[in-house]
Structures are given as structure tokens and as C-alpha cells.
Amino acid sequence: MTKSLYATMRALPGHREKVASLLTALAENVRAEPGCVRFIVYTLEDEPDLFHVEESYRDEAAFKAHMGTEHGRVFNKAIETLVEGGASKVVFLKEVA
């Protein structure tokens, strides 16, 4: 069963470009993970400081492998002072149809 989620984060004033750069680098690394099915980064058209990341992994094991990556740890540490609350907000999804 695919593991899917989305994560949101709002860049603090003056940090949008840095957050976008970090997310771009993270996306490249995550997409190279063998269990990654989807990793897409968006901003809202009317709120460019708000980032929305859609993620899907082959299964729970692939998601757990993703959570243990060095590039993920580096990203999470880097955004601590760049986004509201110091981290992304994650919502896990359950497929309906």
C-alpha cells in the first residue's frame, strides 16, 4: 500500500528564496530514492511564502527509509530558523478512490 502525505511550511519574512532553494535540492535527492513515487513542491499562487509538498512512497518501508536519510536530516535542520514553527506540518493521507 502506497504511503502518501503532504507537508506545508511558511517561510519567515525574507527567507522564501532560501526555503525554495533547499526544497529544490531536497526534491532532487528524494526523487532518487528507490521507494519514492512522487515528490512535488508547490507554492500557493496568492501566498508565495507558503510551500506545499506532495509525497508518495512505494510502501511503509520505503517511507521509513526516506525518514532515515541524511539529506532529510540536513533539510529539517536547515529550515529550523527559516520557517514558521521551525518545521513543516505533515498530514498523512488515506486513499479513498
Side-chain angles (χ1 to χ4, degrees):
M1 172 76 64
T2 303
K3 181 78 169 185
S4 297
L5 61 111
Y6 67 85
T8 60
M9 64 202 81
R10 183 180 300 279
L12 292 170
H15 294 294
R16 184 176 66 80
E17 293 302 322
K18 180 64 177 173
V19 173
S21 177
L22 289 167
L23 281 165
T24 298
L26 180 66
E28 183 176 332
N29 287 315
V30 174
R31 290 174 186 150
E33 294 173 21
C36 178
V37 175
R38 176 181 174 92
F39 191 94
I40 301 179
V41 180
Y42 300 94
T43 60
L44 274 62
E45 281 190 23
D46 59 347
E47 291 184 66
D49 290 340
L50 183 59
F51 293 87
H52 180 94
V53 182
E54 294 179 7
E55 304 177 46
S56 291
Y57 301 89
R58 182 182 59 240
D59 52 25
E60 184 72 28
F63 175 69
K64 286 182 179 178
H66 162 71
M67 293 302 294
T69 62
E70 180 65 19
H71 53 263
R73 282 191 291 277
V74 168
F75 173 81
N76 287 327
K77 182 69 176 164
I79 66 168
E80 286 179 353
T81 60
L82 302 175
V83 301
E84 287 181 359
S88 63
K89 294 173 183 72
V90 177
V91 175
F92 291 96
L93 304 170
K94 183 176 179 183
E95 190 172 329
V96 174

